[in-house]
Amino acid sequence: MHPVSIVLGKEIRDAARDRRALLTAFLFPVLSPLLVYFMMTAIIELQTDADKMTIPIIGGEHAPALIQWLKEQDVHLEKFSGDAKQAVKDKDKELVVIIPDDFQQRFGELKTVPVEVVSDGSRTDSQPKVRRVHELLRQYNQEIGALRLIARGVSPDVTRVVVSQHVDVASKEQRAATALNFIPMYIILAAFVAGMGIAVDSTAGERERKTLEPLFINPVERYQIVTGKWLAATLFSAIGMALTLVLCVAAMGQVPLAQIGLQFHIGNGQMLSMLLATLPLAFLATSMQLLLGIFAKSFKDAQSYIGLLVLLPMAPSMYMMFNPFMTREWMFAIPMLGQHLLLVDVLGAKEVPLIGYFYSAASCLLLGMALVLITARLFQRESILSG
Amino acid sequence: MIEVKSLYKSFAEIKAVKDVSFTANNGQVTGLLGPNGAGKSTTLRILYGLLTQDSGSALVDDIDIKSDRLGAQQKIGVLPDSHGLYIRLTAREHIYYFGRLHKFDEDKLESQTNELIKLLDMQSIADRRVEGFSQGERMKVCLARSLVHNPPNVLLDEPTNGLDVMTTRTVREIIEELKTKNIAVLFSSHLMHEVSRLCDHIVIVSEGSIVASGTTDEIRAAAGEDNLEDAFVKLVEGGVN
């Protein structure tokens, strides 16, 4: 047997018996799809809620025509009495519409009537409803305004200087993919989370339990020992990623995306592409953790360093969410960003250039190998055994 | 056979080993005796390839450790200073792991392991995970994994430190047994009575240098004391002065 496979076999056996490490490794892949499912379902519910909603209204009796019009738009109205602002503040009501007593009078005199929409700007969940109410009132305003102009022999177009028209070039799948931006993020995160326990245990843990000295007395090169540990951690990391991916996609299949006009379908081919696109990241993630594990004096010490490392994979995803940009081929070569781009493209059913797969895999593997060599060099220092 | 010739090793300002030379012959037990911090562990660590000397040479069966670390390590079995074990592996798995890393014949690994388990009287704990083992049980696992590949040279760093009488006796029996197999045994200790009982050849080190070496009789004669312990104290204190 080759020394690398001996070390690999031992580390896998050791890790498979470490319940705590297994739990932290695989809790994330199991929990993240659940999170995806509940988040997406909640978002969709909010949006569909806004379409068939009930509006609390004060003074509805002063504007029967408006009330009638709103009912025609499929809006349910409920009479509200009391302090509107307090009710919204107390979160009893998401919003309250107040129609003034002199609505009819001002309407008849062709004066502008102020209709108040009381809402709480700090509540994100009520925003779609508030927007919809404003939109409805604007629409009513336009209709009545147009009628008044026509009655005076003026074309309503006089007041409509420009009309904006919505032209969306994104396909339904692509729009779905932007909504799913966090799936790539979870998968990239899984690479770091799932391999962490074993990477730390086989470096800082060995050091803490004083097993490094007996291990180094064996006639085996240090780089072979590190490589065995690297591959073992990578295996766990890759399993974590694959699990996260498969479960997230399965969870997305259960989300009623069609209700918000989005489409989501992942075939086996796409699934395979995504695995190919992301698995090389496992090699890089664990090599970083091994290197940090060497620097740490103890398991706890290492965990706090590596906890910070987890923020790293979030960076490209976060950046893309707030600064969308055009993908260029060289971007695939940037670890983590490359995987993110590949995932977004595959999820969006876009054609991915083959070179993209090559760049992203090669950069991860090369960088990972470089870090493992550095780790092996550090393993060779005499001071590794002291303190 | 282990040969050490004018070995020097410093850590930053501290000169840990100064001009140490000795030979540990096959079929003999050589004792490296000295107070704590005398440089025993450093010398052994150079011999088993974890530290590199500043100058001088260390040979195991004529293989230079500095130039061919792996070749030399193949020829030694070591009970090092740290007795760390993998808490989730069984005693048997520890022995297998180290046997395989020494490229021991896979077909004979199981029977070899069984023999060691019998020799060390650890049948009842062989297939238990080592977490929770007593000090003596841990020591047995360490000994077994260091002997699994039938090394022609055995290095033991303070092998009886902190052990109870029963386990100490087992360790002594193992050392006697190794001697009969024509193996070169080198062990370090700070316990005079233990060294005098087991060793054919004693090397006394103090503050990194050798202050005396030879058989127990030769050591007594060199110090001019009848009692070996008095001789030891006199030699070590002489080295200090």
Side-chain angles (χ1 to χ4, degrees):
Chain A
M1 251 195 288
H2 195 275
V4 172
S5 58
I6 297 169
V7 176
L8 172 65
K10 178 259 162 192
E11 294 298 348
I12 291 174
R13 181 181 294 242
D14 204 344
R17 290 179 187 170
D18 186 353
R19 281 209 200 119
R20 194 181 52 176
L22 281 186
L23 192 72
T24 42
F26 295 113
L27 199 63
F28 182 83
V30 174
L31 280 186
S32 54
L34 285 178
L35 208 64
V36 167
Y37 176 76
F38 286 116
M39 259 171 67
M40 287 307 290
T41 317
I43 290 172
I44 289 168
E45 256 170 29
L46 278 181
Q47 298 214 347
T48 37
D49 265 8
D51 292 340
K52 40 172 187 187
M53 59 181 177
T54 308
I55 303 175
I57 196 157
I58 295 177
E61 65 277 9
H62 306 305
L66 171 60
I67 298 301
Q68 184 56 36
W69 183 84
L70 283 172
K71 281 180 180 161
E72 281 164 17
Q73 310 301 315
D74 263 348
V75 176
H76 295 277
L77 299 169
E78 66 174 14
K79 212 172 148 58
F80 183 83
S81 53
D83 189 343
K85 282 182 183 162
Q86 198 56 46
V88 171
K89 259 189 201 162
D90 295 345
K91 319 241 182 276
D92 279 345
K93 298 287 173 201
E94 288 171 290
L95 74 154
V96 177
V97 175
I98 304 173
I99 293 172
D101 298 348
D102 56 355
F103 185 94
Q104 230 30 311
Q105 194 196 336
R106 292 180 77 95
F107 190 88
E109 292 168 2
L110 301 184
K111 281 182 183 163
T112 307
V113 189
V115 174
E116 286 178 81
V117 181
V118 184
S119 72
D120 181 349
S122 68
R123 273 184 76 173
T124 42
D125 61 331
S126 62
Q127 293 312 308
K129 277 192 189 179
V130 175
R131 264 200 302 278
R132 175 126 165 88
V133 170
H134 282 294
E135 177 59 34
L136 282 168
L137 289 173
R138 216 172 1 254
Q139 218 178 316
Y140 180 70
N141 186 44
Q142 259 178 19
E143 278 184 27
I144 300 297
L147 285 174
R148 283 176 179 174
L149 287 174
I150 289 166
R152 282 159 186 76
V154 181
S155 164
D157 286 352
V158 168
T159 61
R160 301 205 314 207
V161 182
V162 287
V163 177
S164 64
Q165 275 173 345
H166 192 66
V167 184
D168 194 345
V169 293
S171 65
K172 277 186 172 183
E173 287 87 354
Q174 270 173 295
R175 271 186 289 140
T178 15
L180 308 177
N181 226 328
F182 45 86
I183 293 193
M185 197 171 82
Y186 280 157
I187 294 165
I188 292 169
L189 257 176
F192 283 80
V193 174
M196 183 171 83
I198 172 166
V200 173
D201 197 67
S202 63
T203 49
E206 283 234 30
R207 198 173 176 183
E208 192 176 17
R209 286 193 295 268
K210 301 195 181 301
T211 46
L212 269 187
E213 182 167 356
L215 179 63
F216 285 171
I217 294 166
N218 292 292
V220 178
E221 295 286 2
R222 302 279 157 86
Y223 76 85
Q224 293 176 323
I225 293 176
V226 178
T227 306
K229 291 173 180 297
W230 182 39
L231 294 180
T234 302
L235 181 73
F236 276 74
S237 165
I239 292 174
M241 284 174 96
L243 205 60
T244 309
L245 176 65
V246 172
L247 292 179
C248 272
V249 168
M252 282 309 296
Q254 301 301 312
V255 175
L257 280 172
Q259 282 188 25
I260 50 168
L262 294 182
Q263 231 176 52
F264 180 81
H265 176 75
I266 295 290
N268 288 339
Q270 277 169 300
M271 196 80 107
L272 198 69
S273 304
M274 286 197 283
L275 282 176
L276 273 178
T278 49
L279 288 188
L281 184 60
F283 288 92
L284 178 61
T286 51
S287 70
M288 288 175 166
Q289 289 165 338
L290 283 181
L291 184 58
L292 280 182
I294 290 282
F295 279 114
K297 294 245 186 286
S298 69
F299 197 92
K300 268 206 167 147
D301 207 14
Q303 269 186 326
S304 45
Y305 292 152
I306 288 172
L308 291 175
L309 191 67
V310 168
L311 293 178
L312 203 62
M314 321 253 294
S317 307
M318 287 292 179
Y319 186 80
M320 269 191 79
M321 249 180 235
F322 297 111
N323 303 286
F325 49 80
M326 175 74 196
T327 309
R328 309 255 177 255
E329 272 182 8
W330 58 265
M331 291 177 183
F332 289 113
I334 301 175
M336 286 171 283
L337 180 64
Q339 277 71 33
H340 188 96
L341 294 173
L342 284 174
L343 284 175
V344 169
D345 283 358
V346 176
L347 279 171
K350 256 208 302 197
E351 203 55 32
V352 183
L354 271 180
I355 193 84
Y357 288 103
F358 174 75
Y359 279 164
S360 67
S363 66
C364 278
L365 284 175
L366 285 178
L367 195 57
M369 264 151 52
L371 291 177
V372 165
L373 278 180
I374 294 173
T375 310
R377 288 297 288 258
L378 290 172
F379 254 13
Q380 237 140 22
R381 291 187 318 175
E382 294 182 347
S383 59
I384 185 84
L385 295 174
S386 51
Chain B
M1 189 170 74
I2 296 164
E3 285 173 277
V4 176
K5 286 176 204 156
S6 45
L7 214 54
Y8 282 88
K9 175 73 184 176
S10 325
F11 301 104
E13 299 293 291
I14 303 149
K15 290 185 176 123
V17 175
K18 294 175 279 191
D19 195 20
V20 167
S21 308
F22 63 86
T23 302
N25 287 310
N26 290 344
Q28 268 195 2
V29 180
T30 306
L32 210 52
L33 183 67
N36 293 328
K40 304 185 297 285
S41 283
T42 304
T43 306
L44 287 178
R45 278 180 165 179
I46 292 170
L47 278 171
Y48 54 69
L50 285 197
L51 297 178
T52 310
Q53 68 269 34
D54 299 332
S55 67
S57 69
L59 306 175
V60 174
D61 287 357
D62 295 325
I63 301 169
D64 186 84
I65 293 160
K66 199 171 179 175
S67 56
D68 182 10
R69 176 170 68 85
L70 300 194
Q73 282 180 329
Q74 186 66 46
K75 299 278 184 194
I76 53 174
V78 181
L79 184 77
D81 182 35
S82 39
H83 300 155
L85 296 174
Y86 302 105
I87 51 172
R88 289 179 294 271
L89 296 190
T90 67
R92 184 184 294 278
E93 284 162 349
H94 277 89
I95 304 170
Y96 283 171
Y97 186 38
F98 276 48
R100 287 184 179 129
L101 287 175
H102 274 95
K103 302 172 188 70
F104 190 78
D105 192 349
E106 189 70 32
D107 297 332
K108 293 181 195 151
L109 189 56
E110 193 181 343
S111 59
Q112 169 79 354
T113 303
N114 285 337
E115 250 173 68
L116 278 168
I117 287 170
K118 216 173 124 192
L119 182 72
L120 286 160
D121 190 26
M122 48 194 281
Q123 290 94 331
S124 59
I125 55 166
D127 294 299
R128 263 175 45 199
R129 295 190 191 179
V130 302
E131 187 164 27
F133 273 22
S134 71
Q135 189 121 351
E137 289 166 336
R138 294 174 71 91
M139 175 62 86
K140 284 180 178 181
V141 180
C142 290
L143 262 176
R145 73 176 175 188
S146 64
L147 299 176
V148 57
H149 57 292
N150 288 330
N153 302 278
V154 173
L155 308 176
L156 310 163
D157 197 352
E158 312 237 359
T160 55
N161 225 1
L163 295 187
D164 58 25
V165 183
M166 297 305 291
T167 324
T168 306
R169 189 169 282 187
T170 315
V171 172
R172 267 195 225 124
E173 283 164 10
I174 299 275
I175 292 175
E176 297 286 353
E177 165 115 15
L178 291 171
K179 195 175 148 182
T180 62
K181 288 183 180 164
N182 202 33
I183 288 169
V185 181
L186 173 65
F187 84 92
S188 74
S189 177
H190 59 268
L191 302 173
M192 189 69 231
H193 61 102
E194 190 169 276
V195 172
S196 65
R197 192 163 170 175
L198 283 166
C199 293
D200 306 295
H201 185 75
I202 300 173
V203 179
I204 298 180
V205 282
S206 174
E207 301 219 320
S209 305
I210 293 181
V211 291
S213 71
T215 61
T216 46
D217 290 339
E218 284 165 353
I219 298 244
R220 270 197 288 260
E225 296 276 350
D226 283 345
N227 182 307
L228 199 60
E229 197 167 296
D230 292 339
F232 173 60
V233 172
K234 191 171 173 185
L235 286 166
V236 167
E237 283 179 347
V240 174
N241 302 332

